[in-house]
């Protein structure tokens, strides 16, 4: 890294990131944990600087955080997640809420171009998404806080130098705390995990028994999990940037593949259903481009994001669905070669493996969809849900201009309906963002937007069909099957915020 990086114009800075990111092209980069020397190439190009405040050597830019991840994800989707976890999940809360003493201790280490890695340790064996059931504890001791417990599926389980760790103290009325822990203080890996995709990131089972000084506790409300809601917001929102870069590449390469592959006398792209699959990939890219525009212009990861809760839930679910759907279409176009990782003709096999986990990351899409519906239901003020959505700023423009009928939501919503309803709400939000993006994008945007909107409207129609399917008794409960125990529902990773 050079001293000029913090003062470069944004476009020049991003161009430097793009030049280095191209070295990690998924088509030929090894499917392995990222070596420190390779991470150094990116840190010296400045991938961490937009997250860091200027007083600690950073560029302090929300837009650049998004553009860095978008640029990296176009070449290597897992590497986009690698950058996102360090910047949006681990360093961002430290930059926003840590004490000045803790910031001075930690943040300059990430501004110097060394291959420093930071992670967020929250998920535990046995509690899954129900973070209120965490068993990692903290106790006040003479030298600060002692943190003990086990965490797993943390990105960088074996390689992170610093950790943001969540813990609780049941003796103080279930008080939650968030602590900055140095690996050498008592964070060790017991077992590495082997993921199906995202091979650049190391995962595993970790044990913590560490004492940290008082100044390394993050300033956050300790009586509920709302701080954790906020800490996950940036990475969920960043799925739009990852999806935009990833799908730009998939659209480009799927078209090139179908044009050069011969099926009989002509190219594969002359087959009408192939053209439909290509259109589906293109519209997924358009949707993510619109969501990414909203991310860059309407959200701000440099400040508290709790007020953006419903938009972020919608962004994450729609963007990740579009990523996985497009990867599946691309793999189908590639046929047998699409099932071959390392194929010299396409990257679809690896693209599908990498994209499939995104609907699970940071809370499963089913969970987030349910939370989105619950958020809206808490604000209807007695109105039918469809009426509320027709007036709600995040969905009103889409529903009104496109004549979308969400009347099927106006019924007693059981848990299964809450999940499906959240998907419909998210699709309506996405339609509004495609319309917004189209109004200010280039001359080709109108055609692209019309196709994307039709696909999203079909998604809403599909949810309505699933409501009808549920009414037919497919769950078996209405036919005399044993229902689940009373009160059983999706476990929540975090509560739905009361304000916003």
């Amino acid at each position: 890294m050079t001293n000029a990086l913090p003062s470069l114009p944004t476009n020049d800075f991003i161009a430097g990131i793009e030049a280095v990111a191209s070295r990690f092209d998924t088509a030929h980069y090894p499917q392995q944990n990222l070596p420190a020397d390779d991470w150094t190439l990116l840190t010296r190009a400045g991938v961490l600087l937009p997250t860091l405040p200027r007083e600690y050597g950073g560029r302090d830019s929300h837009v650049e955080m998004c553009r860095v991840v978008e640029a990296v994800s176009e070449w290597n989707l897992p590497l986009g997640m690698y950058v996102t976890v360090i910047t949006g999940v681990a360093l961002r809360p430290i930059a926003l809420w840590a004490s000045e003493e803790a910031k001075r201790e930690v943040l300059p280490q990430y501004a110097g171009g060394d291959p420093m890695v930071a992670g967020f340790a929250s998920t535990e064996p046995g509690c899954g998404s129900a973070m209120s059931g965490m068993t990692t504890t903290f106790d006040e001791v003479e030298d600060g806080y002692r943190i003990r417990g086990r965490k797993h599926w943390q990105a960088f389980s074996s390689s992170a130098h610093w950790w943001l760790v969540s813990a609780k103290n049941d003796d103080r009325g279930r008080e939650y705390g968030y602590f900055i822990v140095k690996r050498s203080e008592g964070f060790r890996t017991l077992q590495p995990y082997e993921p199906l995709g995202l091979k650049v990131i190391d995962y595993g089972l970790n044990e913590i028994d560490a004492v940290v000084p008082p100044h390394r506790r993050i300033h956050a409300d300790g009586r509920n999990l709302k701080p954790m809601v906020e800490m996950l917001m940036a990475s969920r929102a960043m799925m739009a940037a990852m999806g935009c870069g990833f799908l730009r590449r998939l659209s480009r390469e799927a078209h090139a593949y179908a044009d050069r592959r011969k099926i009989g006398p002509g190219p594969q792209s002359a087959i009408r259903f192939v053209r439909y699959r290509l259109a589906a990939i293109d519209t997924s890219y358009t949707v993510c481009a619109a969501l990414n525009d909203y991310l860059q212009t309407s959200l701000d990861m440099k400040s508290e994001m709790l007020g953006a809760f419903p938009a972020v839930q919608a962004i994450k679910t729609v963007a990740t669905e579009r990523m996985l759907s497009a990867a599946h279409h691309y793999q189908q176009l590639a046929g047998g070669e699409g099932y071959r990782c390392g194929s010299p003709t396409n990257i679809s096999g690896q693209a599908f493996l990498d994209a499939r986990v995104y609907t699970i990351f940071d809370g499963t899409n089913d969970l987030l969809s349910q939370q989105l519906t619950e958020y809206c239901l808490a604000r209807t003020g007695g109105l039918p849900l469809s009426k509320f959505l027709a007036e709600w700023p995040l969905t009103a423009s889409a529903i009104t201009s496109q004549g979308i009928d969400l009347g099927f939501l106006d019924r007693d919503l059981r848990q299964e309906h809450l999940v499906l309803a959240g998907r419909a709400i998210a699709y309506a939000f996405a339609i509004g963002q495609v319309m917004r993006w189209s109004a200010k994008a280039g001359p080709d945007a109108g055609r692209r937007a019309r196709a994307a909107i039709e696909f999203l409207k079909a998604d809403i129609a599909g949810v309505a069909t699933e409501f009808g399917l549920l009414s037919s008794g497919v769950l078996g409960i209405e036919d005399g099957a044993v229902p689940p125990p009373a009160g059983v529902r999706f476990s929540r990773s975090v509560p739905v915020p009361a304000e916003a």
Side-chain angles (χ1 to χ4, degrees):
M1 189 181 77
T2 67
N3 292 332
L5 281 179
S7 58
L8 280 178
T10 291
N11 287 341
D12 293 343
F13 173 72
I14 297 299
I17 300 292
E18 291 172 339
V20 175
S22 65
R23 304 186 190 187
F24 298 88
D25 188 344
T26 296
H28 56 72
Y29 190 76
Q31 297 298 317
Q32 64 182 22
N33 291 165
L34 188 70
D37 287 348
D38 286 355
W39 178 231
T40 301
L41 296 175
L42 287 158
T43 55
R44 290 182 176 172
V47 293
L48 303 181
L49 298 187
T51 309
L52 303 176
R54 291 190 179 275
E55 59 265 37
Y56 298 108
R59 292 178 61 89
D60 203 14
S61 170
H62 160 78
V63 170
E64 289 180 1
M65 287 178 69
C66 303
R67 292 188 61 182
V68 165
V69 167
E70 178 187 348
V72 171
S73 298
E74 183 167 358
W75 290 102
N76 191 308
L77 177 60
L79 197 56
M81 177 55 75
Y82 196 105
V83 175
T84 295
V85 172
I86 297 174
T87 58
V89 183
L91 294 182
R92 174 182 171 270
I94 296 174
L96 283 177
W97 299 301
S99 67
E100 290 303 318
E101 186 177 357
K103 291 178 185 179
R104 289 193 299 270
E105 182 179 6
V106 177
L107 296 182
Q109 298 185 47
Y110 290 85
D114 293 327
M116 297 295 293
V117 174
F120 181 32
S122 59
T123 305
E124 298 186 3
C127 74
S129 296
M131 293 312 302
S132 60
M134 73 172 76
T135 59
T136 297
T137 62
F138 73 90
D139 296 288
E140 231 171 322
V141 295
E142 182 178 353
D143 296 329
Y145 297 94
R146 186 177 184 185
I147 304 156
R148 288 176 287 184
R150 288 190 173 190
K151 303 286 187 177
H152 76 160
W153 278 119
Q154 275 67 57
F156 321 124
S157 290
S158 301
S159 59
H161 303 87
W162 288 89
W163 290 94
L164 184 59
V165 177
S166 62
K168 73 176 181 179
N169 186 314
D170 285 329
D171 294 335
R172 290 159 56 155
R174 186 170 285 187
E175 178 183 353
Y176 298 96
Y178 307 90
F179 304 88
I180 305 168
V181 180
K182 194 174 184 178
R183 173 178 288 277
S184 60
E185 291 171 331
F187 192 105
R188 66 192 186 98
T189 303
L190 301 179
Q191 177 187 354
Y193 289 173
E194 181 71 17
L196 284 175
L198 304 185
K199 298 293 188 180
V200 301
I201 303 175
D202 54 286
Y203 294 96
L205 171 66
N206 300 300
E207 184 175 72
I208 307 168
D209 189 349
V211 175
V212 301
H215 70 269
R216 291 220 230 108
R217 181 174 183 176
I218 293 284
H219 301 305
D221 182 356
R223 297 300 172 185
N224 57 55
L225 283 166
K226 279 193 287 186
M228 188 175 291
V229 178
E230 210 293 332
M231 291 176 191
L232 294 173
M233 297 275 277
S235 60
R236 289 175 179 173
M238 199 72 91
M239 301 293 182
M242 282 182 269
C244 186
F246 175 66
L247 294 178
R248 181 186 300 115
R249 177 179 188 166
L250 257 58
S251 175
R252 180 176 67 240
E253 294 196 3
H255 278 275
Y257 183 88
D259 285 341
R260 68 174 179 264
R261 184 180 180 187
K262 297 298 181 182
I263 305 291
Q268 184 189 35
S269 57
I271 299 171
R272 293 186 65 85
F273 197 76
V274 167
R275 287 159 61 186
Y276 171 79
R277 288 197 183 276
L278 292 170
I281 294 171
D282 292 345
T283 56
S284 289
Y285 169 43
T286 298
V287 170
C288 279
L291 296 177
N292 189 35
D293 180 74
Y294 182 87
L295 166 63
Q296 292 191 28
T297 60
S298 297
L299 301 182
D300 183 8
M301 290 182 289
K302 306 304 293 184
S303 62
E304 191 272 329
M305 293 181 68
L306 200 61
F309 177 84
V312 169
Q313 303 291 89
I315 287 170
K316 194 272 183 181
T317 56
V318 175
T320 57
E321 282 185 9
R322 295 300 92 207
M323 292 163 66
L324 184 57
S325 174
H328 178 255
H329 281 298
Y330 183 20
Q331 191 174 49
Q332 290 294 115
L333 291 175
E337 278 295 295
Y339 198 65
R340 177 184 172 192
C341 290
S343 168
T345 64
N346 68 89
I347 64 163
S348 65
Q350 193 60 50
F352 185 78
L353 282 177
D354 290 335
R356 64 187 302 179
V357 74
Y358 276 74
T359 61
I360 301 171
F361 261 150
D362 287 348
T364 70
N365 283 6
D366 290 349
L367 172 64
L368 303 192
S369 294
Q370 176 174 327
Q371 291 179 341
L372 179 56
T373 303
E374 291 172 334
Y375 178 96
C376 293
L377 287 173
R379 288 156 179 79
T380 59
L383 290 174
L385 183 55
S386 66
K387 176 69 172 174
F388 166 79
L389 294 171
E391 299 175 357
W392 192 38
L394 293 184
T395 51
S397 62
I399 291 171
T400 301
S401 66
Q402 299 299 321
I404 298 171
D405 182 6
L406 295 179
F408 65 91
L409 299 178
D410 298 333
R411 53 156 294 163
D412 178 33
L413 298 177
R414 297 182 179 180
Q415 186 271 323
E416 62 269 26
H417 300 110
L418 294 175
V419 176
L420 293 174
R423 287 166 50 192
I425 295 167
Y427 297 144
F429 168 82
I431 289 172
Q433 300 321 310
V434 171
M435 292 166 51
R436 176 178 177 269
W437 167 84
S438 174
K440 63 180 184 178
D444 186 47
R447 177 191 60 80
R448 290 175 58 191
R450 285 191 294 274
I453 289 169
E454 290 305 314
F455 270 81
L456 288 165
K457 287 166 66 175
D459 288 335
I460 293 175
V463 173
T465 299
E466 289 183 272
F467 263 66
L469 190 60
L470 287 172
S471 296
S472 72
V474 293
L475 293 187
I477 297 173
E478 292 78 6
D479 298 328
V482 178
V488 168
R489 56 188 296 165
F490 259 129
S491 62
R492 288 178 173 169
S493 61
V494 290
V496 177
E499 70 277 355

